Amino acid sequence: MASPERELPVALNLPKDEMPLDERQRKYLAVCDEKLGFVPNVLMAYSWHSAKFAAFTAMYNDVMLGESGLSKLEREMIAVAVSSANHCYYCLTAHGAAVRQLSGDPALGEQMVMNYRAARLEPRQRAMLDFAWKLTKEPEAIDEPDREALRQAGWNDRDIWDIAATAAFFNMSNRMSAATDMRPNEEYHAQAR
């Protein structure tokens, strides 16, 4: 299993012993390694500080795995659309692989990475991604007509919250990735092709 003691996958020299991971957090990494065959570098990047690791994983688990009207695939699609808007190499690689895997369609993963508008999506998903894109590129321009467009496409207000939370989380994650020069695991490049 990859150990949190290994070199961090970021361009910062962080004090790995400042706040070490606790037993539960180390087990979390072991489960990732067991299920995926590797520990995602984003988790390794946060492993230098148990409180930051806990905050990141709690938010990720809620946004991506929590109860929602959005499917896991739709949440991954938002991650890719936001990351495409931000040109985030880490998240485009990791979440593009997830879209390929969850959809069973390698072309969809590539379309999402390049330009979600090229994908033949149902109107409901297109509205979701249009909103996430605008929230990423022009957050100050979001207004009631944008929320109403989601309602007209079949999303309820709880869903709109989840779309916004997913987009917001990946905007934060993209910025941390860019700031630290975080690199995706090599394994992502070959997944679900």
Side-chain angles (χ1 to χ4, degrees), residues 118-156:
R120 288 185 169 81
L121 303 172
E122 58 185 69
R124 177 178 151 102
Q125 291 172 332
R126 175 62 190 260
M128 170 190 79
L129 296 176
D130 286 344
F131 185 86
W133 183 274
K134 185 173 181 180
L135 186 59
T136 298
K137 298 298 267 183
E138 302 176 87
E140 76 286 355
I142 295 288
D143 204 351
E144 186 56 30
D146 300 300
R147 291 180 288 276
E148 188 54 34
L150 287 171
R151 291 182 191 108
Q152 291 298 316
W155 298 106
N156 65 37

Side-chain angles (χ1 to χ4, degrees), residues 1 27-40 43:
M1 183 206 63
K27 184 175 181 180
Y28 185 95
L29 293 178
V31 168
C32 287
D33 193 33
E34 181 181 313
K35 284 186 170 184
L36 301 174
F38 62 95
V39 176
L43 296 177

Side-chain angles (χ1 to χ4, degrees), residues 70-85 99 108 111-113 115-137 142 146 149-150 153 155 159 163-164 166-167 170-171:
L70 281 71
S71 70
K72 176 72 170 134
L73 174 59
E74 288 166 337
R75 290 181 257 193
E76 291 290 353
M77 291 168 75
I78 293 170
V80 175
V82 166
S83 299
S84 180
V99 167
L108 177 62
Q111 290 166 336
M112 294 295 304
V113 164
N115 177 359
Y116 74 90
R117 293 171 192 89
R120 288 185 169 81
L121 303 172
E122 58 185 69
R124 177 178 151 102
Q125 291 172 332
R126 175 62 190 260
M128 170 190 79
L129 296 176
D130 286 344
F131 185 86
W133 183 274
K134 185 173 181 180
L135 186 59
T136 298
K137 298 298 267 183
I142 295 288
D146 300 300
L150 287 171
W155 298 106
D159 298 332
I163 292 166
T166 305
F170 281 98
N171 272 290

Side-chain angles (χ1 to χ4, degrees), residues 3-178:
S3 159
E5 286 75 39
R6 77 174 193 157
E7 186 175 324
L8 297 176
V10 294
L12 302 175
N13 185 16
L14 299 167
K16 291 178 243 171
D17 59 351
E18 181 171 319
M19 200 166 187
L21 298 181
D22 62 31
E23 181 59 34
R24 185 180 54 78
Q25 292 168 326
R26 286 191 302 275
K27 184 175 181 180
Y28 185 95
L29 293 178
V31 168
C32 287
D33 193 33
E34 181 181 313
K35 284 186 170 184
L36 301 174
F38 62 95
V39 176
N41 280 344
V42 68
L43 296 177
M44 293 307 300
Y46 279 89
S47 71
W48 71 279
H49 197 282
S50 65
K52 293 177 187 339
F53 183 89
F56 178 84
T57 56
M59 187 65 168
Y60 175 87
N61 289 338
D62 179 61
V63 166
M64 296 303 283
L65 305 173
E67 188 175 320
S68 176
L70 281 71
S71 70
K72 176 72 170 134
L73 174 59
E74 288 166 337
R75 290 181 257 193
E76 291 290 353
M77 291 168 75
I78 293 170
V80 175
V82 166
S83 299
S84 180
N86 291 324
H87 308 287
C88 179
Y89 174 53
Y90 184 97
C91 288
L92 284 170
T93 303
H95 297 282
V99 167
R100 290 191 306 270
Q101 183 175 30
L102 291 168
S103 70
D105 183 356
L108 177 62
E110 298 304 315
Q111 290 166 336
M112 294 295 304
V113 164
M114 297 297 183
N115 177 359
Y116 74 90
R117 293 171 192 89
R120 288 185 169 81
L121 303 172
E122 58 185 69
R124 177 178 151 102
Q125 291 172 332
R126 175 62 190 260
M128 170 190 79
L129 296 176
D130 286 344
F131 185 86
W133 183 274
K134 185 173 181 180
L135 186 59
T136 298
K137 298 298 267 183
E138 302 176 87
E140 76 286 355
I142 295 288
D143 204 351
E144 186 56 30
D146 300 300
R147 291 180 288 276
E148 188 54 34
L150 287 171
R151 291 182 191 108
Q152 291 298 316
W155 298 106
N156 65 37
D157 283 5
R158 165 62 199 274
D159 298 332
I160 295 169
W161 175 277
D162 290 349
I163 292 166
T166 305
F169 177 82
F170 281 98
N171 272 290
M172 181 277 297
S173 192
N174 291 173
R175 280 151 181 77
M176 287 301 296
S177 178

